[in-house]
Amino acid sequence: MTDDSSRDHVVPGSDEELETADVRGHDFRGDLDLESLLASYETTGFQATHLDEAIDVTERMQEEDAKVYLTLTSNIVSSGLRETVAALVRDGHVDVVITTSGSLTEDVIKTAKPFKMGEWDADEGRLRERGINRLGNIFVPSDRYVWLEEYLYDFFDDFFAEESIRTPTAFARELGETLEDEDSVLKQAADNDVPVYCPALTDAEVGNFLYYYRQRQDTDSDIGIEILDDYEKLIEDGMFADTTGLIAVGGGVPKHHAIMTNLFRGGADYAVYISTGMEGDGSLSGAPPNEAVSWGKIKDETETNYAQVEAEATLVFPLLVASAFYAG
Amino acid sequence: MTDDSSRDHVVPGSDEELETADVRGHDFRGDLDLESLLASYETTGFQATHLDEAIDVTERMQEEDAKVYLTLTSNIVSSGLRETVAALVRDGHVDVVITTSGSLTEDVIKTAKPFKMGEWDADEGRLRERGINRLGNIFVPSDRYVWLEEYLYDFFDDFFAEESIRTPTAFARELGETLEDEDSVLKQAADNDVPVYCPALTDAEVGNFLYYYRQRQDTDSDIGIEILDDYEKLIEDGMFADTTGLIAVGGGVPKHHAIMTNLFRGGADYAVYISTGMEGDGSLSGAPPNEAVSWGKIKDETETNYAQVEAEATLVFPLLVASAFYAG
Amino acid sequence: MTDDSSRDHVVPGSDEELETADVRGHDFRGDLDLESLLASYETTGFQATHLDEAIDVTERMQEEDAKVYLTLTSNIVSSGLRETVAALVRDGHVDVVITTSGSLTEDVIKTAKPFKMGEWDADEGRLRERGINRLGNIFVPSDRYVWLEEYLYDFFDDFFAEESIRTPTAFARELGETLEDEDSVLKQAADNDVPVYCPALTDAEVGNFLYYYRQRQDTDSDIGIEILDDYEKLIEDGMFADTTGLIAVGGGVPKHHAIMTNLFRGGADYAVYISTGMEGDGSLSGAPPNEAVSWGKIKDETETNYAQVEAEATLVFPLLVASAFYAG
Amino acid sequence: MTDDSSRDHVVPGSDEELETADVRGHDFRGDLDLESLLASYETTGFQATHLDEAIDVTERMQEEDAKVYLTLTSNIVSSGLRETVAALVRDGHVDVVITTSGSLTEDVIKTAKPFKMGEWDADEGRLRERGINRLGNIFVPSDRYVWLEEYLYDFFDDFFAEESIRTPTAFARELGETLEDEDSVLKQAADNDVPVYCPALTDAEVGNFLYYYRQRQDTDSDIGIEILDDYEKLIEDGMFADTTGLIAVGGGVPKHHAIMTNLFRGGADYAVYISTGMEGDGSLSGAPPNEAVSWGKIKDETETNYAQVEAEATLVFPLLVASAFYAG
Ligand SMILES: NC(=O)c1ccc[n+]([C@@H]2O[C@H](COP(=O)([O-])OP(=O)(O)OC[C@H]3O[C@@H](n4cnc5c(N)ncnc54)[C@H](O)[C@@H]3O)[C@@H](O)[C@H]2O)c1
Ligand SMILES: NC(=O)c1ccc[n+]([C@@H]2O[C@H](COP(=O)([O-])OP(=O)(O)OC[C@H]3O[C@@H](n4cnc5c(N)ncnc54)[C@H](O)[C@@H]3O)[C@@H](O)[C@H]2O)c1
């Protein structure tokens, strides 16, 4: 090989001038406000650009008055994002909430007693002795669950008095109606007629305390949680909507529930994912929006109608919400 | 600062000789069989050592005749790990299976028609046109779902004939009884009296086809899926067991279902996790075994009774199963 | 097991009230500016709390007038974070820069021709034909490298005229002096006497073009790049500083270079890492700050003097910089 | 929307039968040896399929007698993979090694004193007091470095006696010649004429002890490490090879060094990556093989000539080596 032929490899050259934007970050000489900072993300590249796209897609959901589905894993409610979710529901920005069971009980606890800042590296055996439960860097003293137990037993009495077989959406709504905290997701959902779907309702304290509740002598042991009615409602929620948009914070059952039921209408019109999932494990949680296109769960548009931000949600969801829903 | 004081920083020295094993990898001059290769993982460090620990913990589950819970996300059944799971159930190595809904329908499809190897980077819009659904690097032609639809309608007729409100474990068992494939997880579970828990049963094709099924004129529209009975059974499964062991392949609802119900007995005795989850996102999927100790979901022992391998499951689960259940 | 003993497991209770802050997110009813939004991260949990800690540690670096080391991987300069880094140097917030070789050439190119926004999923063979190089979702047309080649040959003539064996810091400084762009990291570093360390200087276009340059008939083939002098200087940079602080954006050689040379002074006083690395792979890039404590590379303080944010840098570095260096 | 039109969305059907293999895992009823187990990975999906492809590509490197470049990060030598790398060099399977500086010193230490198994969650301040350095779950007592210091000072005397300015490859070779351990990477490389490239040679104990060495009264303070000569050699190593293949274990400078110098020959013919890097951060470490195609660093072939396994290396590198180099 001669140097000349190697140079063709190393510096092939190009004639084409690209029409896309220049890569360029924030100018710290100028204004330093949230809007201008986030505006610079568009041309910063990597995930910053994805956050900008996510904001954009979310704004289009609003412009087109889409029915907005917000899906979230339980740890979102464990964290300070609970108040963000409650705000979105309170202010009419979200039409359907889909989540897992921990969200419901943790939202209720927080109406009475806060979760506390903790640390990742604690002596777990010692925490157990002290009655402190760890959720990442968040601590939940166990008296919260003692309180919750009584609260739920009272609620169960009323809830199952009407009928013995109930649905998760009814559970969430009627429980929400008992709450007073304006920062509660369930209260805001109940007040604003936003259904909260939660198919695996038993998989947290709701299940635990329903177990004990059924053991009681005086309880109708035929009480139960039926999940097919909700699935039908969720399908029809989407089927008859003109336009739908999904915001999936984390993955799991809630994310899949939203995209699967949007399949009935030929796919969601818009979708935004915030996720730490890994695409390469073939999981639903890690699957990027384009995988859902092959299934018809998200529509295939010429103009890009979906975006994914690969990030831990507490870092970016407040930015997305601030910019897409509350700015300007 | 003098050089001398800096040297104390750079080369502080140490008197202590550590008693632990030397770090040392496989000797490729010697035998090259699975057993000797995996044996070297013990002292290879990083995740290899974790895989060795996971094998060890799994072997102790067997020695102590623990009730073994295997939890898996749906994509495990999408992949070739389905046959591994079926083997474990068939050979009596697993006592309880907990999973999500996609596992059930995909297992049934595979009794009749295979999934096909595909690729990650496909043109998604084009796949949609061709009727091909993508699951990571696996393709599922849509005729599989056409076939499944008929199969399930027939099954639903029988299933709901008995009673109109049924449970996910009954669904899995009775559906498994209709299958003939020895590599089917559901068939083996039915044949070997291994319950298959799946609280969010609606969140996949089961839900979709139940929706259409209920729309039919001739159907009892009061059919439903009740999930509280199963949760009670799962709690009692563990509560009265002498010893329990968990093997969680992936995270999500199945993993949490297993640890949460083991809480009733004061924690699982043994636990092995295989996961790609990220601890730092505070998710249940990413939470390592020690987080479950603070909750009492896994026992706190002096001898280590849990292990986690941070890896995509298809790479390591066959190794774990081969070594812990089938070797020697 | 009785229900009572199981209840002790499930709801153990706790007497202790924790003194730490309540977990609580942003209040979207109130002001919506960058400062108040980021202030809420302190009690949002998970990585948001880490970002708050990182801002805090960075502010303490400034208050104590620490010598600040900024380390960065090359892709940071590929992205719009280049302008952020240049701002930090220009405004005197950073005293030492450590990076890899791609940063230098890309910074030079950008003084003349921009990088362009692109996309991840492009047809790579086709891009090669078009002479377009892809860096994540950033495109770099190959004419940039044609331009760079000439620019560097001219520079090499001068640079090696003085002496034939030169150091990476001299390379960066003298190259920076030739540039005019106020957003150039190298120009700002040269103007502000901030050394730019880059031990593996050959590992990018610098190496490629030095290779061709040496092939030329008329060139002194004894030119070379010597790296020991720089290492000595970097050690002494830290050894005689009262206080040092590290900000590591990404991992690799730059991060290690900073912590390793801080070992000579008994460890860095403050450290902030922004990283996507995985701790469980045992890599230097994934190693959290506490691992460096065992080595004496970061000091072990009672008050926490380090923080790590697990995130892609484009998402959080502008927030850290805005809040710690430019706010209020 | 009618049910019929929704059904077209939900069950679109497909006519096409795919020609690719069926997804199918290992049959645990049959033989259980390494070969049959790994053979099943081809059709297991997700990363298992990638490991199978990586084995395949590696076998093709051998069949075509490619010049094989092995690149590795330092922690590979910290772990038990050191012996695997030494075996590959000893048995003539690898022609070029590229690594970072920690590899060299750790390989030397291990010829005299082992690294010890440790744990991730140790009290770091306490470890510092005990003089124990932590590398993931590996412990390195600090007396190793005391020993190394003397060893290197003796070596430096000889090494710089010849010439005062030396290269990293000369350093690695001459240091390797002093060693006796058959499991040493450096010794095997020296014995088998395999060059070991390490551009950032100063970035570890080599740099630290060279620093002190130069401070000594009696030392020629003009000693230095020159890195351009090596880069030239590495380029020409590849330029005149008929066929080249890369095996990149981890990312960073070593991986980039290999692909960048293969650019001079129009790209590597074969490439296998084992990595935990994240594509979405735009890093070189996370960049999949196809990104290198746009740059001309890996050839674009119709038949796939590259593969990437997303996994921590200790889990899969022994399997790849066993299957591609030592089986059958
Ligand atoms: N606080 C809790 O997490 C909690 C409490 C009680 C019960 N549970 C139960 O555990 C089960 C499993 O939990 P889950 O289904 O809610 O999801 P999960 O916590 O298992 O998360 C699923 C996936 O979502 C993504 N994700 C999660 N958190 C994220 C974040 N902060 N940022 C970005 N991506 C993120 C990740 O990819 C993760 O693997 C559920 O049944 C739930 O009710 C959880
Ligand atoms: N094939 C499918 O994945 C599929 C099909 C139909 C329906 N669904 C539905 O989607 C919903 C969500 O799926 P899910 O709850 O089964 O889990 P999931 O796919 O969302 O995975 C949850 C977490 O488990 C871990 N994980 C997943 N795959 C892994 C692997 N290969 N190796 C290591 N760790 C892994 C990851 O941390 C992941 O974030 C469920 O209701 C399910 O029924 C899935």
Side-chain angles (χ1 to χ4, degrees), chain D residues 69-72 96-100 195-199 234 253-254 257-258:
Chain D
Y69 294 66
L70 178 67
T71 84
L72 42 128
V96 176
V97 169
I98 313 180
T99 190
T100 47
V196 176
Y197 291 94
C198 180
L234 181 57
V253 168
H257 229 53

Side-chain angles (χ1 to χ4, degrees), chain A:
Chain A
M1 185 175 290
T2 65
D3 273 5
D4 273 10
S5 68
S6 99
R7 277 199 64 258
D8 291 346
H9 295 311
V10 177
V11 204
S14 53
D15 311 315
E16 194 178 333
E17 206 36 65
L18 294 171
E19 300 299 310
T20 57
D22 294 356
V23 174
R24 189 156 191 89
H26 184 71
D27 187 345
F28 279 94
R29 282 165 294 221
D31 282 350
L32 187 61
D33 50 52
L34 185 62
E35 217 159 330
S36 65
L37 195 67
L38 286 182
S40 74
Y41 278 33
E42 181 180 356
T43 57
T44 295
F46 308 153
Q47 295 304 314
T49 296
H50 289 233
L51 177 55
D52 174 78
E53 289 165 4
I55 291 170
D56 211 63
V57 172
T58 307
E59 283 170 347
R60 280 155 60 204
M61 292 182 201
Q62 291 182 276
E63 281 156 29
E64 300 197 20
D65 208 21
K67 180 182 271 278
V68 175
Y69 294 66
L70 177 67
T71 84
L72 42 127
T73 48
S74 288
N75 60 334
I76 299 307
V77 170
S78 319
S79 81
L81 297 185
R82 169 196 184 235
E83 286 78 36
T84 304
V85 173
L88 287 172
V89 177
R90 190 172 59 226
D91 296 336
H93 297 312
V94 155
D95 302 289
V96 176
V97 170
I98 313 181
T99 190
T100 48
S101 185
S103 295
L104 274 53
T105 40
E106 299 191 4
D107 183 65
V108 172
I109 289 172
K110 286 182 165 190
T111 64
K113 289 167 182 253
F115 283 19
K116 305 296 279 184
M117 292 306 304
E119 41 193 69
W120 303 90
D121 293 316
D123 178 334
E124 305 292 328
R126 191 71 198 88
L127 284 186
R128 180 68 186 156
E129 284 162 28
R130 290 163 62 194
I132 292 170
N133 303 297
R134 186 172 71 79
L135 267 168
N137 55 358
I138 293 174
F139 284 166
V140 193
S142 197
D143 66 335
R144 272 65 173 165
Y145 295 100
V146 176
W147 175 88
L148 179 71
E149 186 177 18
E150 286 316 305
Y151 195 88
L152 285 182
Y153 289 162
D154 287 351
F155 171 71
F156 292 158
D157 286 343
D158 295 339
F159 183 60
F160 291 106
E162 283 177 55
E163 285 176 82
S164 58
I165 304 289
R166 306 301 309 273
T167 63
T169 50
F171 183 91
R173 187 183 58 248
E174 297 187 20
L175 184 57
E177 284 166 0
T178 69
L179 303 171
E180 310 248 299
D181 177 2
E182 299 294 323
D183 284 314
S184 155
V185 174
L186 290 186
K187 180 200 166 35
Q188 292 300 343
D191 285 2
N192 292 281
D193 270 330
V194 169
V196 177
Y197 291 94
C198 180
L201 183 69
T202 47
D203 188 40
E205 288 73 26
V206 178
N208 297 355
F209 295 132
L210 277 173
Y211 171 75
Y212 286 127
Y213 186 75
R214 287 226 291 194
Q215 306 292 312
R216 294 177 168 195
Q217 299 296 329
D218 56 343
T219 309
D220 172 6
S221 68
D222 285 345
I223 60 173
I225 300 294
E226 197 285 314
I227 60 174
L228 195 52
D229 266 4
D230 273 0
Y231 198 66
E232 178 169 314
K233 263 204 325 181
L234 181 57
I235 287 170
E236 297 186 345
D237 256 351
M239 215 149 78
F240 304 113
D242 283 334
T243 312
T244 63
L246 314 184
I247 304 174
V249 184
V253 169
K255 170 184 167 186
H256 188 258
H257 229 52
I259 59 178
M260 191 55 143
T261 51
N262 268 272
L263 172 59
F264 284 79
R265 63 187 312 283
D269 296 281
Y270 297 103
V272 164
Y273 293 175
I274 296 174
S275 173
T276 58
M278 170 194 177
E279 180 173 5
D281 67 9
S283 69
L284 190 281
S285 290
N290 67 354
E291 185 174 307
V293 170
S294 79
W295 294 86
K297 294 169 179 173
I298 296 178
K299 286 195 177 148
D300 184 37
E301 306 279 346
T302 44
E303 208 186 346
T304 306
N305 53 326
Y306 49 78
Q308 167 162 276
V309 190
E310 294 182 51
E312 198 276 298
T314 59
L315 291 171
V316 297
F317 190 54
L319 301 174
L320 171 76
V321 167
S323 186
F325 292 107
Y326 291 94

Side-chain angles (χ1 to χ4, degrees), chain B residues 35-317:
Chain B
E35 217 159 329
S36 65
L37 195 67
L38 287 181
S40 74
Y41 278 35
E42 181 179 355
T43 56
T44 294
F46 308 152
Q47 295 304 314
T49 296
H50 289 233
L51 177 54
D52 174 79
E53 288 166 4
I55 291 170
D56 210 62
V57 172
T58 307
E59 283 171 347
R60 280 156 59 205
M61 291 182 202
Q62 290 182 278
E63 279 156 29
E64 302 198 19
D65 207 20
K67 182 183 269 280
V68 175
Y69 295 66
L70 177 66
T71 83
L72 41 127
T73 49
S74 288
N75 59 335
I76 299 308
V77 170
S78 319
S79 80
L81 297 185
R82 170 197 183 236
E83 286 78 38
T84 304
V85 173
L88 287 172
V89 177
R90 190 173 58 228
D91 296 335
H93 297 311
V94 155
D95 301 290
V96 176
V97 169
I98 313 180
T99 190
T100 48
S101 184
S103 294
L104 274 52
T105 40
E106 299 191 4
D107 183 65
V108 173
I109 290 172
K110 286 182 166 191
T111 64
K113 289 166 183 253
F115 283 20
K116 305 296 280 183
M117 293 305 305
E119 39 193 71
W120 304 90
D121 294 315
D123 178 335
E124 306 291 329
R126 193 67 200 89
L127 283 186
R128 180 68 186 156
E129 284 162 28
R130 291 164 61 195
I132 291 170
N133 303 298
R134 185 171 73 78
L135 267 167
N137 55 356
I138 293 174
F139 284 166
V140 193
S142 197
D143 66 335
R144 270 68 173 163
Y145 296 99
V146 175
W147 176 88
L148 179 71
E149 186 177 18
E150 285 317 307
Y151 195 88
L152 286 181
Y153 289 163
D154 287 349
F155 171 71
F156 293 158
D157 286 343
D158 296 339
F159 184 61
F160 292 106
E162 284 177 54
E163 284 174 82
S164 58
I165 303 289
R166 305 301 309 272
T167 64
T169 50
F171 183 90
R173 188 184 57 247
E174 297 187 20
L175 184 56
E177 285 165 359
T178 69
L179 303 171
E180 310 249 299
D181 176 1
E182 299 294 321
D183 284 314
S184 156
V185 174
L186 289 186
K187 181 201 166 32
Q188 291 300 343
D191 286 1
N192 292 281
D193 269 330
V194 169
V196 177
Y197 290 93
C198 180
L201 183 70
T202 46
D203 188 39
E205 287 73 24
V206 179
N208 296 354
F209 294 133
L210 276 174
Y211 170 75
Y212 286 129
Y213 186 75
R214 288 225 290 194
Q215 306 291 312
R216 295 176 167 194
Q217 297 297 330
D218 56 343
T219 308
D220 171 7
S221 70
D222 285 344
I223 61 171
I225 300 294
E226 197 285 315
I227 60 174
L228 195 51
D229 267 3
D230 273 359
Y231 197 66
E232 179 170 313
K233 261 202 330 179
L234 181 57
I235 286 170
E236 297 187 344
D237 256 350
M239 214 149 80
F240 303 113
D242 283 333
T243 312
T244 62
L246 315 183
I247 304 174
V249 185
V253 169
K255 171 183 168 185
H256 188 258
H257 229 52
I259 59 178
M260 191 54 143
T261 51
N262 267 272
L263 173 59
F264 284 78
R265 62 188 312 284
D269 296 281
Y270 297 103
V272 164
Y273 293 176
I274 296 175
S275 172
T276 58
M278 169 194 176
E279 179 172 5
D281 66 10
S283 68
L284 189 282
S285 290
N290 67 353
E291 184 173 309
V293 170
S294 81
W295 293 85
K297 294 169 180 173
I298 296 179
K299 286 196 177 146
D300 184 36
E301 306 280 346
T302 44
E303 207 185 346
T304 306
N305 54 326
Y306 50 77
Q308 167 162 274
V309 190
E310 294 183 51
E312 198 275 297
T314 59
L315 291 170
V316 296
F317 189 53

